[in-house]
Amino acid sequence: MSRILLLIAALVTLGSLAACGGDDDDGGGDGGGGTIEETSTPEETPQEFLQSSADALEEVDSFHFVLEHENGGTEIVLDLEMTRAEGDVITPDRLKADVEADGPAGLDVNVQVIAIGEDFFFENPFGGGFVDADFSIQDILDPTRGAVALLRSAPADSEHDGSEEIDGVQTRKVRATIDSGEFETLIPSADAGLPVEVIVWIGVDDKLPYRIQIVGPLNDSEPDDIERTIEISDYNNPDVVIEPPE
């Protein structure tokens, strides 16, 4: 019996030595270093990645944005349907944007809007400069608060959807389905109750969003195939200035 026990102990020892030797052969002098690194720095879940992006966006000073539509537009003030908007934002409450919209009777309207705190200036589309308007940035488009709220509303079943380079920035795509009511801060005409697909392109290094695509209607009056794309760029440009119109 004692010989059998000694033989078993010898086999266990040889097996342990062989296992250690195998680790050295696979990983070089570092042995199990790769395994330790993987377990100590787990990858963020898609939902956590979106939350980190919201945190990063809240810290920026300014950015440039372009909002474009396919197969429809967004209802805003004065019976206008916005089809495109491009401009700059200085956080937390300054915006200057050129807005393209379809007006009553098929009239094409191009106006500039400026928001500074609670003051809102709306360009007269028929000439004559700007007027102080009884609107707010929330009545047309609020890219800062809206994008942050949208990123934070992402559900736990959000998914990574590959990667893509945008203007030299390596991004990771995250896809989620979000209730249309969560878009109200970004798009005032949004109503709750509709599932909307959202794809967000987020910088791998800086966690900032560079593109947000919104697929599907935000209320019952919008077409089923409507799509909105928001491109965000030029973060923290110190040369961006937004002042009241002269």
Side-chain angles (χ1 to χ4, degrees):
M1 179 64 73
S2 61
R3 288 180 180 178
I4 293 174
L5 292 175
L6 287 173
L7 179 60
I8 292 173
L11 290 173
V12 170
T13 301
L14 288 172
S16 300
L17 291 173
C20 292
D23 283 346
D24 286 341
D25 289 340
D26 293 337
D30 249 334
T35 303
I36 293 173
E37 182 178 354
E38 290 173 6
T39 56
S40 62
T41 56
E43 182 178 322
E44 286 182 303
T45 67
Q47 187 184 39
E48 291 170 340
F49 198 52
L50 290 169
Q51 296 292 329
S52 296
S53 184
D55 292 340
L57 185 57
E58 285 185 318
E59 296 300 318
V60 304
D61 297 322
S62 65
F63 59 86
H64 185 79
F65 75 92
V66 179
L67 166 66
E68 295 187 297
H69 295 70
E70 287 187 23
N71 309 316
T74 296
E75 181 182 348
I76 55 173
V77 296
L78 302 177
D79 294 326
L80 298 176
E81 187 175 77
M82 176 173 59
T83 56
R84 189 180 190 275
E86 178 173 1
D88 295 296
V89 171
I90 298 177
T91 60
D93 58 3
R94 291 187 176 225
L95 174 143
K96 182 177 182 179
D98 295 314
V99 175
E100 298 176 15
D102 294 332
L107 181 67
D108 292 333
V109 177
N110 296 285
V111 297
Q112 189 174 89
V113 296
I114 299 174
I116 300 177
E118 296 182 358
D119 297 325
F120 194 89
F121 306 94
F122 196 89
E123 186 180 17
N124 185 344
F126 305 106
F130 287 80
V131 295
D132 294 343
D134 190 21
F135 310 138
S136 72
I137 189 173
Q138 287 81 22
D139 293 320
I140 295 182
L141 178 69
D142 190 347
T144 308
R145 292 197 315 138
V148 169
L150 185 61
L151 294 168
R152 295 207 185 283
S153 66
D157 61 355
S158 304
E159 299 178 345
H160 286 305
D161 190 29
S163 59
E164 185 175 339
E165 187 174 294
I166 298 178
D167 295 333
V169 178
Q170 190 63 37
T171 69
R172 181 181 297 167
K173 295 167 62 178
V174 179
R175 184 182 299 267
T177 299
I178 299 176
D179 186 273
S180 52
E182 301 291 347
F183 293 82
E184 186 177 6
T185 307
L186 179 66
I187 306 292
S189 58
D191 295 327
L194 299 172
V196 181
E197 185 179 39
V198 179
I199 306 99
V200 186
W201 285 252
I202 299 172
V204 173
D205 295 327
D206 59 18
K207 301 294 181 68
L208 290 169
Y210 285 86
R211 178 182 297 153
I212 301 173
Q213 190 171 51
I214 303 165
V215 183
L218 301 182
N219 58 54
D220 291 333
S221 66
E222 294 185 347
D224 292 339
D225 59 351
I226 188 172
E227 294 185 13
R228 297 170 171 89
T229 301
I230 304 172
E231 303 279 354
I232 308 175
S233 62
D234 201 23
Y235 282 106
N236 297 322
N237 183 344
D239 295 328
V240 174
V241 177
I242 299 176
E243 298 292 348
E246 297 181 358

